[in-house]
Amino acid sequence: MAILARMMDAMLSTTRRAGDAAAAATDWRADAPGTYCRRCGATCHEAALTASGCPYCRGERVAWQGVWRLGAYEEPLSRWIVELKFHGQWTWATWFGRELARITADVPADLAEGSAVVPIALHWRRRIGRGFDQTMLVARAFAQASGRDFAPLLTRRRATTPQSHIHEHAARLRNIQGAFVMPDVDLAGRTIWLVDDVKTTGATARVASHLLRRAGAKRVHLVVLAVADPGKGRA
């Protein structure tokens, strides 16, 4: 076990260095607060942000307390996510998880009470085809790096059409409705960090958030690697 632990530490350290090197080579940094809307996650100038949201979401209801993102779904972040999801480079998950822990480290204690990290899971068929569940790996790394509980509570019981193949928001909601189930758990008073890879319309996260709320979660924070900005390409 000790040998295995040392091997894992060495591998993860190498992954962190590779991620840091890629970020340095492209001059990439995670987005700072004030560069995007904390209600919907869309890129927006600070002057256009208000307590009720940005021009893209003002007046609309959201299912979560706030959105944290590493960046918009564009180069080079989009390429790294594609490498993780579709090219088998699953070790990116460790670096992404550490970056998510870093950008959420300063959340006030009263907004993070009883924190648990919950990933939006793949259907088992897609997981077998891909060889792993990328969001599960990211969420686990995020929980470990941030010292939060890891709670894979959501199960995708239905193999839905990939949301990236559906462009209408209403159709995305219909596609994902009823796709998730949860065990009978009591989340009363807990703060949930709901993790996904890319947010486009937010339909998947909305359904998952409602399930978590019904189980008693006090608040849900949505944490994503990237947000596909309105009007730009779908992720």
Side-chain angles (χ1 to χ4, degrees), residues 59-172:
E60 296 183 5
R61 297 182 64 182
V62 295
W64 40 79
Q65 185 85 9
V67 176
W68 276 260
R69 75 179 204 183
L70 295 183
Y73 190 76
E74 57 189 25
E75 287 282 350
L77 183 58
S78 58
R79 171 164 38 87
W80 300 339
I81 293 171
V82 168
E83 289 174 356
L84 166 65
K85 292 176 66 173
F86 303 118
H87 296 166
Q89 298 186 30
W90 57 268
T91 51
W92 269 109
T94 303
W95 187 79
F96 283 142
R98 189 195 66 173
E99 288 297 298
L100 293 177
R102 184 177 61 78
I103 67 170
T104 60
D106 296 332
V107 174
D110 61 337
L111 296 182
E113 181 181 4
S115 287
V117 175
V118 176
I120 291 180
L122 284 177
H123 188 265
W124 63 268
R125 289 198 190 103
R126 194 168 298 161
R127 185 177 66 249
I128 290 175
R130 189 167 295 174
F132 58 91
D133 183 331
Q134 76 280 348
T135 304
M136 190 80 69
L137 295 178
V138 170
R140 189 188 297 274
F142 170 45
Q144 183 177 10
S146 62
R148 299 174 174 122
D149 294 337
F150 178 61
L153 297 174
L154 294 169
T155 299
R156 195 182 292 251
R157 66 179 177 181
R158 188 161 55 79
T160 58
T161 300
Q163 292 286 70
S164 58
H165 295 179
I166 304 171
H167 301 300
E168 293 184 0
H169 181 56
R172 281 180 169 234

Side-chain angles (χ1 to χ4, degrees), residues 4 6 30 37 62 73 89 105 109 145 148 171 200 220 231:
L4 179 60
R6 286 197 296 272
C37 177
V62 295
Y73 190 76
Q89 298 186 30
R148 299 174 174 122
T200 306
V220 177

